[in-house]
Amino acid sequence: LAMLATSDGASFERVDPRIGAADDARRALRYKPSAELARRIRLRDGTCRHPGCAVPADDCDVDHVRPFDHADPARGGHTEECNLMCLCRRHHRFKTFSDWVYDLQPDGTLIVTSPEGTTTMTRPSGPLGAYRREQAHAETAAWDAQQRRSPDPSTAGSRSHSEPTYWSRRAARLAAERDRTAHPAGTGPGSPRPSEHGRWWRRNAPVASKVEQDVRALLDELLDPPPF
């Protein structure tokens, strides 16, 4: 993007990724879509939407999934993003004169049903369609992470926990500090008792010195002599 921005003649256009961002209630009752709406359909689809067809969207027709009602446009088949798709001229005519059923979802997913009942689903392969799928996956991953931290009360029942706040984290930290002060390491309830006959204790056990005992007794007599 940085290289394209500094190249001669390059330009960038911000595209609103929201579904139906280019829809117009007045133009929805006209058969021919606006240039902006047709360009969004091609950016979304990428190729012909018939299963197995790879004709680029720029060489396709923008067709109404539900036929436009020329006698009464308000009755159905509006010229909106949720009712438009790219079809090459061959598959455009095939859709018009065959008994196949085309069902377009709001996100651009197309479900095609043959007269025998076989169902095929295709997804838009254009940059706008790919961006929407990436955003949907990111939102799903973020929601799953949020549910792992704090489950939804409606689904988790009594096991749900509120999201930790600054004050709850501070209270937990102070409680841990008070516990460490009241019970130093190795003295708290449930702390394992050290082995009384361990190898380290046998190597470092205090040794009673007879000289030290005699010195202590002499100091006691000099500093605190008996009253008789």
Side-chain angles (χ1 to χ4, degrees), residues 22-109:
D23 292 344
D24 188 349
R26 294 174 299 177
R27 298 193 64 93
L29 302 180
R30 302 180 186 179
Y31 177 72
K32 185 177 180 180
S34 63
E36 180 184 2
L37 180 57
R39 184 168 179 269
R40 286 180 62 87
I41 300 303
R42 291 188 169 94
L43 284 175
R44 183 197 67 187
D45 292 347
T47 61
C48 173
R49 296 303 306 280
H50 189 84
C53 186
V55 176
D58 290 339
D59 300 329
C60 294
D61 300 333
V62 178
D63 182 38
H64 291 76
V65 179
R66 182 180 178 186
F68 184 82
D69 193 339
H70 292 273
D72 187 5
R75 190 163 53 183
H78 294 166
T79 306
E80 297 175 339
E81 181 178 348
C82 61
N83 192 43
L84 296 174
M85 65 177 176
C86 291
L87 287 178
C88 64
R89 184 59 55 88
R90 174 190 174 190
H91 289 124
H92 189 173
R93 292 174 177 172
F94 177 83
K95 170 183 174 295
T96 302
F97 299 107
S98 69
D99 295 332
W100 289 46
V101 178
Y102 293 75
D103 182 18
L104 184 66
Q105 304 297 320
D107 62 347
T109 302

Side-chain angles (χ1 to χ4, degrees), residues 21 43 47 88 115 134 139 152 154 157 169 172 185 189-190 200 202 211 228:
L43 284 175
T47 61
C88 64
E134 291 176 0
E139 292 177 358
D152 188 356
S154 61
R169 294 194 299 268
W200 183 91
R202 289 195 298 268
V211 177
F228 54 88

